[in-house]
Amino acid sequence: MVYRIAVAGLGKIANDQHLPCIAKNKNFKLVAGVSRHARIDSVPCFESLAGLRASKIAVDAVALCTPPAVRLALAREVLDAGWHLLIEKPPTPTVGELISMEAYARKKKRVLYATWHSRYNASVDEAKKRLKGKRVSHLRVTWKEDVNRWHPGQEWIWQPGGFGVFDPGINALSIVTKILPEPIFVESATIEVPSNSATPIGADIRFKRGDGEQADLSAVFDWRQRGEQIWEMEIATRDGLKLELKKGGSVLLVNGKTVREAPLEEYEMIYAKFARLLKAKKSDVDPSPLQLVSDCFMLGKPVVVDAFRWSV
Ligand code: NAP
């Protein structure tokens, strides 16, 4: 089966990953683009979803690659048109909007796939397998990157619903919520917000287990990193197993030894899975990474720090 797909929100991730991965996947055929400014040479492009709908071009699914703050209304437009829907992470600015979007897709009997790209990695799957049935006593997540390098000039990340440093941080939490054998919960957090911004540039989070057992569980996210970019986590269990996931989850070390170094094929795997979901007419929506971020804002202590300026 070949699904006719349109991509809406033709920014960095649409161009870096969605368009190339759609082109590589024989289950999809790109039929249109939607953007207020950008164009794709090979297919018709429209300034709005309404324009695409009015064109009568046959579409089966839409990949929505806009920032999260505007997704719910656009998602409803897609579902109202009878199209299936794939959305970028973070799915929505609040848990409430995600619940509403999922219910709307169910009502419209359409597939909704809320992607978490960092979960699609053979090393992450291997870590999950090795942690099955274990009791986790230690978790340390370190996600430190340079915002200038990964979000050049993107103003939406500093606006309400833009997530700030939780935009990459939620990728780490999407791995954590996939591989840990039991859910963890936010205990406390310190959230650093630049004086000229609505969203954080740094966060220091402590988690707890649900059963009250003592455990040393934490995460640090920072967007002021220069030089080496760090996306890693270490996990220890009561029975002495030590896992380290490095390079965004693509490299797995077990008790100090590298056991897997997977190629980065996150979006290839996302489109392979979308084809399977469409065939099975099944949705996939996991709110747990978004819930943890939301809980950080609920329980965190905000600290105002120096104003952010883009470096040139
Ligand atoms: P971006 O480069 O700013 O692109 C966002 C696109 O959405 C733009 O093409 C813009 O298109 C459209 N858009 C912006 N505001 C809109 C609005 N109010 N209404 C409708 N469309 C709007 O951002 P990005 O980096 O691609 O990120 C988009 C999403 O992908 C985010 O959720 C992000 O977390 C996720 N993501 C990004 C990366 C990355 O490396 N950057 C990696 C993985 C996931 P027009 O203005 O042309 O309409």
Side-chain angles (χ1 to χ4, degrees):
M1 174 84 187
V2 177
Y3 300 102
R4 296 159 297 191
I5 192 164
V7 176
L10 299 173
K12 186 171 186 312
I13 199 62
N15 284 290
D16 287 359
Q17 296 290 347
H18 290 264
L19 295 174
C21 288
I22 288 168
K24 275 192 274 182
N25 189 316
K26 61 181 176 14
N27 288 123
F28 293 96
K29 178 178 170 19
L30 183 73
V31 291
V34 179
S35 167
R36 297 167 304 178
H37 308 102
R39 296 289 168 265
I40 308 169
D41 289 339
S42 57
V43 289
C45 288
F46 303 89
E47 284 179 17
S48 65
L49 288 164
L52 171 59
R53 196 173 174 179
S55 75
K56 305 280 187 221
I57 288 175
V59 175
D60 299 305
V62 171
L64 205 44
C65 304
T66 63
V70 295
R71 272 211 201 103
L72 178 59
L74 296 174
R76 286 176 60 138
E77 255 190 279
V78 168
L79 297 166
D80 282 341
W83 302 325
H84 301 290
L85 177 61
L86 175 154
I87 57 173
E88 256 300 343
K89 50 62 54 173
T92 46
T94 64
V95 176
E97 288 191 21
L98 184 55
I99 291 170
S100 170
M101 193 190 293
E102 188 180 19
Y104 205 76
R106 210 176 317 117
K107 185 172 141 192
K108 295 285 173 176
K109 297 189 170 51
R110 297 292 96 183
V111 170
L112 171 59
Y113 179 20
T115 62
W116 296 108
H117 66 85
S118 295
R119 287 182 167 181
Y120 295 97
N121 202 296
S123 298
V124 170
D125 289 336
E126 173 87 25
K128 179 181 170 73
K129 214 183 295 167
R130 290 183 184 248
L131 287 169
K132 193 169 178 211
K134 306 263 184 196
R135 292 182 81 73
V136 171
S137 54
H138 172 81
L139 166 74
R140 178 65 175 167
V141 176
T142 308
W143 229 249
K144 294 185 176 183
E145 62 174 52
D146 182 354
V147 64
N148 286 291
R149 212 155 128 184
W150 304 102
H151 294 273
Q154 292 179 359
E155 287 299 334
W156 61 265
I157 57 173
W158 300 114
Q159 306 301 324
F163 283 78
V165 77
F166 283 97
D167 179 86
I170 204 167
N171 297 337
L173 297 177
S174 74
I175 296 176
V176 167
T177 48
K178 176 171 180 173
I179 66 176
L180 291 197
E182 291 174 277
I184 56 169
F185 302 90
V186 176
E187 187 168 57
S188 62
T190 303
I191 297 171
E192 294 175 287
V193 183
S195 58
N196 59 343
S197 151
T199 61
I201 197 162
D204 208 329
I205 309 158
R206 296 211 67 82
F207 302 99
K208 62 183 180 185
R209 293 175 53 98
D211 59 8
E213 191 177 301
Q214 280 307 305
D216 176 22
L217 313 171
S218 64
V220 60
F221 303 153
D222 205 318
W223 247 352
R224 293 158 293 197
Q225 180 77 359
R226 297 292 183 269
E228 193 198 352
Q229 308 290 286
I230 305 172
W231 301 290
E232 56 191 43
M233 61 184 73
E234 53 178 48
I235 301 162
T237 65
R238 289 262 177 255
D239 60 357
L241 176 69
K242 188 179 169 205
L243 301 186
E244 291 162 87
L245 276 169
K246 294 179 184 281
K247 296 188 180 174
S250 57
V251 178
L252 175 66
L253 285 79
V254 178
N255 297 331
K257 281 206 175 115
T258 303
V259 299
R260 204 177 261 275
E261 201 156 355
L264 270 183
E265 292 175 331
E266 296 172 350
Y267 283 83
E268 286 83 351
M269 290 190 188
I270 280 177
Y271 277 94
K273 177 163 175 175
F274 193 33
R276 291 196 298 276
L277 290 171
L278 289 170
K279 189 171 178 212
K281 297 189 171 55
K282 277 183 78 170
S283 289
D284 184 307
V285 181
D286 177 8
S288 58
L290 182 65
Q291 183 70 65
L292 283 178
V293 169
S294 178
D295 294 350
C296 286
F297 283 101
M298 202 76 169
L299 299 170
K301 175 184 165 61
V303 176
V304 177
V305 296
D306 288 348
F308 174 78
R309 309 252 173 271
W310 293 107
S311 67
V312 282

